[in-house]
């Protein structure tokens, strides 16, 4: 019985330390935080698919952020600009780059300026 109580105390202590370690992750990358928290859930595959689906909604090079009032805004990692409207093009295209296809079928960005 003593051993079981000690084990429970150790687990509670570890849970507290883990929670404190996850605070910076939650602030830096909310989707990754949700995956870390979901790791304790029974169906990890569903949690990963759900998080991947949300991140796939944004075009490449964009991040979502939350304003202090709770409104979501979008940050272009290429131009460092922000906007309230959801983006429809890749960040590089929004910054003036053109998406081109090479003769071998590969894609690349070209800056015409």
């Amino acid at each position: 019985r003593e051993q079981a109580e000690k084990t429970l105390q150790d687990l509670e202590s570890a849970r507290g330390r883990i929670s404190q370690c996850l605070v910076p992750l939650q602030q830096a990358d909310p989707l990754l935080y949700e995956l870390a928290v979901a790791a304790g859930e029974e169906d990890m595959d569903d949690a990963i698919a759900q998080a991947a689906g949300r991140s796939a909604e944004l075009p490449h090079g964009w991040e979502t952020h939350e304003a202090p009032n709770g409104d979501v805004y979008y940050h272009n990692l290429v131009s460092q600009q922000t906007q309230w409207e959801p983006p429809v093009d890749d960040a590089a295209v929004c910054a003036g780059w053109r998406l081109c296809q090479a003769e071998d079928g590969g894609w690349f960005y070209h800056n015409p300026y």
Side-chain angles (χ1 to χ4, degrees):
R1 172 116 176 123
E2 276 182 40
Q3 182 63 31
E5 288 177 10
K6 170 117 174 63
T7 301
L8 275 175
Q9 288 175 347
D10 290 344
L11 287 172
E12 287 301 317
S13 176
R15 184 190 322 210
R17 288 191 307 274
I18 290 169
S19 294
Q20 290 302 314
C21 292
L22 288 175
V23 169
L25 176 61
Q26 183 181 23
Q27 294 168 347
D29 190 338
L31 290 176
L32 187 57
Y33 169 80
E34 288 180 29
L35 279 176
V37 171
E41 295 177 3
E42 289 181 18
D43 198 350
M44 185 65 167
D45 291 336
D46 286 347
I48 292 171
Q50 184 179 21
R54 277 184 292 197
S55 62
E57 292 171 7
L58 283 179
H60 183 74
W62 287 92
E63 294 178 331
T64 58
H65 294 277
E66 189 172 319
N69 66 357
D71 290 340
V72 173
Y73 66 94
Y74 303 91
H75 175 240
N76 182 318
L77 296 171
V78 175
S79 69
Q80 300 302 312
Q81 300 290 318
T82 59
Q83 64 186 47
W84 295 108
E85 302 80 23
V88 291
D89 291 322
D90 284 358
V93 172
C94 292
W97 290 72
R98 293 194 179 135
L99 184 59
C100 303
Q101 189 169 19
E103 290 179 10
D104 67 358
W107 292 92
F108 65 96
Y109 288 101
H110 167 70
N111 187 339
Y113 306 106

